[in-house]
Amino acid sequence: NKIPGYVAAVYWRGDIAWLKAAGLADLKTKRSVKAETPFRTASLAKPLSAVGLMSLVEALKLRLQDDVRQYCPNFPQKRQSIQLEQLLGHLGGIRHYRDAQDRNNQIHYSSVSESVKRFAADPPVHGPGEEFLYSTYGYGLLGCAIEGASGRTYAHWMQEKVFERAQMTGTGIDDGEGVSAERAQGSVSYTRLRAHET
């Protein structure tokens, strides 16, 4: 299937019942994948972000029916307000990636709020709540809301409220700093294989 490498495991009743690592973590250096090789979370960041957002709901810092602009004011007003719950369900009308250049963007932003500028001026693809449209940028808006409602950076909120609480000691924000040299590297083959964009 042209997958460069992987780690797969079955976790059962508090223990790892089965574990397999195979393939390459880096196609250029031919470095092998090991059980402890870190991988990018890619779109797994979406459910993790949802947990981070729900911790703010639990703390009564926001409501799912709130307009995203209440917490992310640098996102411009659209014809209709976009509720947080619509973004959670990919129903906000926010576009996804347009092309490979958009998908493989390497720009480093100082905050999630700053990254919203990349798509903020784009018109909605459809009205909020009208259709399902998988959207990484919609989840970027949720990250912006996390920053606005918590008063902290997305990275700090996620580290404290999600990763540390779940004892995810090997998980963190990929901000270019402190990235493990042992991490699996991205691959064009992997990008082409994906059934949907991440």
Side-chain angles (χ1 to χ4, degrees):
N1 289 325
K2 299 183 181 178
I3 298 171
Y6 69 91
V7 177
V10 174
Y11 188 76
W12 179 253
R13 296 186 178 178
D15 293 308
I16 295 176
W18 176 84
L19 174 72
K20 176 148 176 130
L24 298 176
D26 189 328
L27 295 174
K28 291 179 184 172
T29 65
K30 306 295 185 204
R31 180 169 43 89
S32 296
V33 173
K34 299 175 184 169
E36 60 276 1
T37 298
F39 284 80
R40 290 186 66 236
T41 59
S43 280
L44 289 175
K46 291 178 180 69
L48 294 172
S49 294
V51 171
L53 187 83
M54 293 307 291
S55 68
L56 286 161
V57 172
E58 190 175 60
L60 304 177
K61 292 182 179 282
L62 54 71
R63 295 177 320 115
L64 292 179
Q65 295 75 32
D66 291 341
D67 185 333
V68 68
R69 292 191 71 253
Q70 187 173 334
Y71 308 101
C72 191
N74 61 335
F75 185 69
Q77 180 69 50
K78 303 297 180 183
R79 283 178 300 173
Q80 297 171 275
S81 67
I82 302 170
Q83 296 177 351
L84 298 172
E85 65 184 352
Q86 291 168 330
L87 293 170
L88 277 170
H90 298 283
L91 299 166
I94 304 298
R95 75 171 177 91
H96 188 49
Y97 301 136
R98 288 186 178 133
D99 52 33
Q101 182 180 0
D102 207 13
R103 181 174 52 251
N104 297 321
N105 171 28
Q106 302 267 339
I107 298 170
H108 177 75
Y109 296 98
S110 59
S111 67
V112 176
S113 302
E114 180 72 16
S115 72
V116 168
K117 291 179 181 177
R118 183 164 184 88
F119 60 93
D122 297 341
V125 178
H126 56 74
E130 291 179 4
E131 293 180 42
F132 174 88
L133 175 65
Y134 183 85
S135 174
T136 292
Y137 288 141
Y139 266 76
L141 265 181
L142 287 176
C144 182
I146 288 171
E147 289 186 341
S150 70
R152 309 200 35 212
T153 66
Y154 173 83
H156 284 118
W157 187 261
M158 294 298 292
Q159 187 65 41
E160 181 183 330
K161 301 297 182 181
V162 180
F163 307 146
E164 287 177 10
R165 285 184 178 182
Q167 299 178 9
M168 297 169 68
T169 58
T171 305
I173 302 301
D174 187 359
D175 59 4
E177 296 178 17
V179 174
S180 170
E182 297 300 308
R183 187 183 86 175
Q185 299 301 310
S187 165
V188 173
S189 298
Y190 173 68
T191 302
R192 289 183 183 145
L193 176 71
R194 292 181 287 188
H196 58 78
E197 308 306 331
T198 57

Short mmCIF file of all heavy atoms in Angstrom, two decimals, residues 14-50:
data_model
loop_
_atom_site.label_atom_id
_atom_site.label_comp_id
_atom_site.label_asym_id
_atom_site.label_seq_id
_atom_site.Cartn_x
_atom_site.Cartn_y
_atom_site.Cartn_z
N GLY A 14 -5.67 -2.38 30.40
CA GLY A 14 -4.52 -1.76 31.05
C GLY A 14 -3.17 -2.21 30.55
O GLY A 14 -2.15 -1.74 31.05
N ASP A 15 -3.14 -3.12 29.59
CA ASP A 15 -1.86 -3.61 29.08
C ASP A 15 -1.86 -3.64 27.56
O ASP A 15 -2.91 -3.74 26.93
CB ASP A 15 -1.58 -5.04 29.59
CG ASP A 15 -1.37 -5.07 31.09
OD1 ASP A 15 -0.53 -4.29 31.58
OD2 ASP A 15 -2.05 -5.88 31.76
N ILE A 16 -0.67 -3.59 27.00
CA ILE A 16 -0.54 -3.76 25.56
C ILE A 16 -0.51 -5.26 25.28
O ILE A 16 0.41 -5.97 25.69
CB ILE A 16 0.74 -3.08 25.02
CG1 ILE A 16 0.63 -1.56 25.22
CG2 ILE A 16 0.95 -3.42 23.55
CD1 ILE A 16 1.87 -0.79 24.82
N ALA A 17 -1.55 -5.74 24.62
CA ALA A 17 -1.69 -7.17 24.34
C ALA A 17 -0.94 -7.57 23.06
O ALA A 17 -0.56 -8.73 22.90
CB ALA A 17 -3.16 -7.52 24.20
N TRP A 18 -0.77 -6.63 22.14
CA TRP A 18 -0.09 -6.92 20.88
C TRP A 18 0.53 -5.64 20.35
O TRP A 18 -0.06 -4.57 20.47
CB TRP A 18 -1.10 -7.47 19.86
CG TRP A 18 -0.54 -7.72 18.49
CD1 TRP A 18 0.12 -8.82 18.06
CD2 TRP A 18 -0.61 -6.84 17.36
NE1 TRP A 18 0.47 -8.70 16.74
CE2 TRP A 18 0.02 -7.47 16.28
CE3 TRP A 18 -1.16 -5.57 17.16
CZ2 TRP A 18 0.14 -6.90 15.03
CZ3 TRP A 18 -1.05 -4.99 15.91
CH2 TRP A 18 -0.41 -5.66 14.86
N LEU A 19 1.74 -5.73 19.79
CA LEU A 19 2.45 -4.56 19.28
C LEU A 19 3.30 -4.96 18.09
O LEU A 19 3.96 -6.01 18.13
CB LEU A 19 3.33 -3.97 20.38
CG LEU A 19 4.26 -2.82 19.99
CD1 LEU A 19 3.46 -1.56 19.73
CD2 LEU A 19 5.26 -2.56 21.11
N LYS A 20 3.25 -4.16 17.03
CA LYS A 20 4.09 -4.43 15.87
C LYS A 20 4.57 -3.11 15.29
O LYS A 20 3.80 -2.17 15.13
CB LYS A 20 3.32 -5.20 14.81
CG LYS A 20 4.13 -5.40 13.55
CD LYS A 20 3.81 -6.68 12.86
CE LYS A 20 4.62 -6.72 11.57
NZ LYS A 20 5.33 -7.88 11.35
N ALA A 21 5.85 -3.04 14.98
CA ALA A 21 6.46 -1.90 14.30
C ALA A 21 7.13 -2.43 13.05
O ALA A 21 7.80 -3.46 13.07
CB ALA A 21 7.48 -1.22 15.20
N ALA A 22 6.95 -1.73 11.93
CA ALA A 22 7.54 -2.19 10.67
C ALA A 22 7.77 -1.02 9.73
O ALA A 22 7.14 0.03 9.86
CB ALA A 22 6.61 -3.22 10.01
N GLY A 23 8.67 -1.21 8.80
CA GLY A 23 8.92 -0.21 7.78
C GLY A 23 9.94 0.83 8.19
O GLY A 23 10.71 0.64 9.12
N LEU A 24 9.91 1.96 7.45
CA LEU A 24 10.91 3.01 7.64
C LEU A 24 10.30 4.26 8.25
O LEU A 24 9.23 4.72 7.84
CB LEU A 24 11.55 3.35 6.30
CG LEU A 24 12.32 2.22 5.60
CD1 LEU A 24 12.81 2.68 4.24
CD2 LEU A 24 13.48 1.76 6.46
N ALA A 25 11.04 4.85 9.19
CA ALA A 25 10.65 6.12 9.78
C ALA A 25 11.16 7.28 8.93
O ALA A 25 10.63 8.38 8.99
CB ALA A 25 11.20 6.23 11.19
N ASP A 26 12.20 7.03 8.14
CA ASP A 26 12.78 8.06 7.28
C ASP A 26 13.25 7.39 6.00
O ASP A 26 14.16 6.55 6.03
CB ASP A 26 13.93 8.75 8.00
CG ASP A 26 14.44 9.97 7.28
OD1 ASP A 26 14.39 10.01 6.03
OD2 ASP A 26 14.91 10.91 7.96
N LEU A 27 12.62 7.73 4.89
CA LEU A 27 12.97 7.10 3.61
C LEU A 27 14.37 7.48 3.14
O LEU A 27 15.04 6.69 2.49
CB LEU A 27 11.94 7.48 2.55
CG LEU A 27 10.52 6.96 2.77
CD1 LEU A 27 9.57 7.52 1.73
CD2 LEU A 27 10.49 5.45 2.76
N LYS A 28 14.82 8.71 3.46
CA LYS A 28 16.14 9.16 3.01
C LYS A 28 17.27 8.43 3.71
O LYS A 28 18.23 8.00 3.09
CB LYS A 28 16.29 10.66 3.21
CG LYS A 28 15.41 11.49 2.30
CD LYS A 28 15.60 12.97 2.57
CE LYS A 28 14.63 13.77 1.71
NZ LYS A 28 14.65 15.20 2.08
N THR A 29 17.17 8.29 5.03
CA THR A 29 18.25 7.67 5.80
C THR A 29 18.04 6.18 6.01
O THR A 29 18.91 5.51 6.55
CB THR A 29 18.37 8.33 7.19
OG1 THR A 29 17.18 8.08 7.93
CG2 THR A 29 18.60 9.84 7.06
N LYS A 30 16.88 5.67 5.60
CA LYS A 30 16.52 4.25 5.77
C LYS A 30 16.44 3.85 7.24
O LYS A 30 16.62 2.69 7.59
CB LYS A 30 17.50 3.33 5.03
CG LYS A 30 17.69 3.65 3.56
CD LYS A 30 16.44 3.42 2.80
CE LYS A 30 16.69 3.62 1.29
NZ LYS A 30 15.52 3.97 0.56
N ARG A 31 16.12 4.82 8.10
CA ARG A 31 15.97 4.54 9.53
C ARG A 31 14.68 3.77 9.76
O ARG A 31 13.62 4.15 9.28
CB ARG A 31 15.95 5.86 10.31
CG ARG A 31 15.80 5.70 11.81
CD ARG A 31 16.06 7.01 12.56
NE ARG A 31 15.46 8.18 11.94
CZ ARG A 31 14.23 8.62 12.20
NH1 ARG A 31 13.45 7.98 13.06
NH2 ARG A 31 13.77 9.71 11.62
N SER A 32 14.76 2.68 10.50
CA SER A 32 13.61 1.81 10.75
C SER A 32 12.66 2.38 11.80
O SER A 32 13.09 3.10 12.71
CB SER A 32 14.07 0.43 11.22
OG SER A 32 14.82 -0.19 10.21
N VAL A 33 11.40 2.02 11.68
CA VAL A 33 10.41 2.35 12.71
C VAL A 33 10.61 1.40 13.88
O VAL A 33 10.81 0.20 13.69
CB VAL A 33 8.97 2.21 12.16
CG1 VAL A 33 7.95 2.37 13.28
CG2 VAL A 33 8.69 3.22 11.06
N LYS A 34 10.56 1.96 15.08
CA LYS A 34 10.63 1.16 16.30
C LYS A 34 9.33 1.39 17.07
O LYS A 34 8.57 2.31 16.78
CB LYS A 34 11.82 1.60 17.16
CG LYS A 34 13.15 1.42 16.45
CD LYS A 34 14.27 1.97 17.29
CE LYS A 34 15.58 1.86 16.52
NZ LYS A 34 16.66 2.59 17.15
N ALA A 35 9.09 0.58 18.07
CA ALA A 35 7.86 0.71 18.86
C ALA A 35 7.72 2.09 19.48
O ALA A 35 6.62 2.61 19.62
CB ALA A 35 7.83 -0.36 19.95
N GLU A 36 8.85 2.73 19.81
CA GLU A 36 8.81 4.03 20.47
C GLU A 36 8.95 5.21 19.51
O GLU A 36 9.03 6.37 19.93
CB GLU A 36 9.89 4.12 21.56
CG GLU A 36 11.31 3.94 21.06
CD GLU A 36 11.75 2.49 20.91
OE1 GLU A 36 10.96 1.57 21.18
OE2 GLU A 36 12.91 2.28 20.50
N THR A 37 8.95 4.95 18.20
CA THR A 37 9.08 6.04 17.22
C THR A 37 7.89 6.99 17.32
O THR A 37 6.75 6.57 17.20
CB THR A 37 9.15 5.47 15.78
OG1 THR A 37 10.32 4.65 15.67
CG2 THR A 37 9.22 6.59 14.75
N PRO A 38 8.15 8.30 17.54
CA PRO A 38 7.03 9.26 17.55
C PRO A 38 6.54 9.54 16.12
O PRO A 38 7.34 9.61 15.19
CB PRO A 38 7.65 10.53 18.15
CG PRO A 38 9.02 10.18 18.58
CD PRO A 38 9.41 8.92 17.89
N PHE A 39 5.23 9.68 15.97
CA PHE A 39 4.61 10.03 14.69
C PHE A 39 3.82 11.32 14.88
O PHE A 39 3.38 11.64 15.98
CB PHE A 39 3.63 8.94 14.24
CG PHE A 39 4.28 7.71 13.68
CD1 PHE A 39 4.81 6.74 14.53
CD2 PHE A 39 4.36 7.52 12.32
CE1 PHE A 39 5.40 5.61 14.02
CE2 PHE A 39 4.94 6.37 11.80
CZ PHE A 39 5.47 5.42 12.65
N ARG A 40 3.61 12.04 13.78
CA ARG A 40 2.72 13.19 13.82
C ARG A 40 1.31 12.71 14.12
O ARG A 40 0.89 11.66 13.64
CB ARG A 40 2.72 13.92 12.47
CG ARG A 40 4.02 14.64 12.19
CD ARG A 40 3.93 15.47 10.92
NE ARG A 40 2.99 16.56 11.11
CZ ARG A 40 1.94 16.77 10.33
NH1 ARG A 40 1.70 16.00 9.29
NH2 ARG A 40 1.12 17.78 10.57
N THR A 41 0.56 13.49 14.87
CA THR A 41 -0.81 13.10 15.15
C THR A 41 -1.71 13.32 13.94
O THR A 41 -2.74 12.67 13.82
CB THR A 41 -1.40 13.89 16.33
OG1 THR A 41 -1.36 15.28 16.03
CG2 THR A 41 -0.67 13.60 17.62
N ALA A 42 -1.32 14.23 13.04
CA ALA A 42 -2.12 14.55 11.86
C ALA A 42 -3.56 14.82 12.28
O ALA A 42 -3.79 15.58 13.21
CB ALA A 42 -2.01 13.44 10.81
N SER A 43 -4.52 14.18 11.66
CA SER A 43 -5.93 14.48 11.97
C SER A 43 -6.41 13.92 13.30
O SER A 43 -7.51 14.24 13.74
CB SER A 43 -6.83 14.00 10.83
OG SER A 43 -6.79 14.95 9.80
N LEU A 44 -5.59 13.11 13.97
CA LEU A 44 -5.95 12.72 15.34
C LEU A 44 -5.94 13.94 16.25
O LEU A 44 -6.52 13.91 17.34
CB LEU A 44 -4.98 11.66 15.87
CG LEU A 44 -5.11 10.29 15.24
CD1 LEU A 44 -4.02 9.36 15.76
CD2 LEU A 44 -6.47 9.70 15.51
N ALA A 45 -5.33 15.02 15.79
CA ALA A 45 -5.36 16.27 16.57
C ALA A 45 -6.79 16.81 16.68
O ALA A 45 -7.10 17.54 17.63
CB ALA A 45 -4.46 17.32 15.92
N LYS A 46 -7.66 16.46 15.76
CA LYS A 46 -9.05 16.95 15.81
C LYS A 46 -9.80 16.42 17.03
O LYS A 46 -10.34 17.22 17.80
CB LYS A 46 -9.78 16.64 14.50
CG LYS A 46 -9.24 17.44 13.32
CD LYS A 46 -9.95 17.08 12.04
CE LYS A 46 -9.42 17.88 10.87
NZ LYS A 46 -8.05 17.51 10.48
N PRO A 47 -9.88 15.11 17.26
CA PRO A 47 -10.57 14.67 18.48
C PRO A 47 -9.85 15.12 19.75
O PRO A 47 -10.50 15.37 20.77
CB PRO A 47 -10.63 13.15 18.36
CG PRO A 47 -9.68 12.78 17.29
CD PRO A 47 -9.53 13.97 16.40
N LEU A 48 -8.53 15.27 19.69
CA LEU A 48 -7.81 15.78 20.86
C LEU A 48 -8.22 17.23 21.13
O LEU A 48 -8.44 17.63 22.26
CB LEU A 48 -6.30 15.68 20.64
CG LEU A 48 -5.73 14.26 20.57
CD1 LEU A 48 -4.26 14.29 20.16
CD2 LEU A 48 -5.92 13.52 21.88
N SER A 49 -8.33 18.02 20.05
CA SER A 49 -8.79 19.41 20.19
C SER A 49 -10.21 19.46 20.73
O SER A 49 -10.56 20.34 21.52
CB SER A 49 -8.72 20.14 18.85
OG SER A 49 -7.39 20.27 18.41
N ALA A 50 -11.04 18.52 20.29
CA ALA A 50 -12.42 18.47 20.79
C ALA A 50 -12.42 18.25 22.30
O ALA A 50 -13.22 18.86 23.02
CB ALA A 50 -13.21 17.37 20.08
#
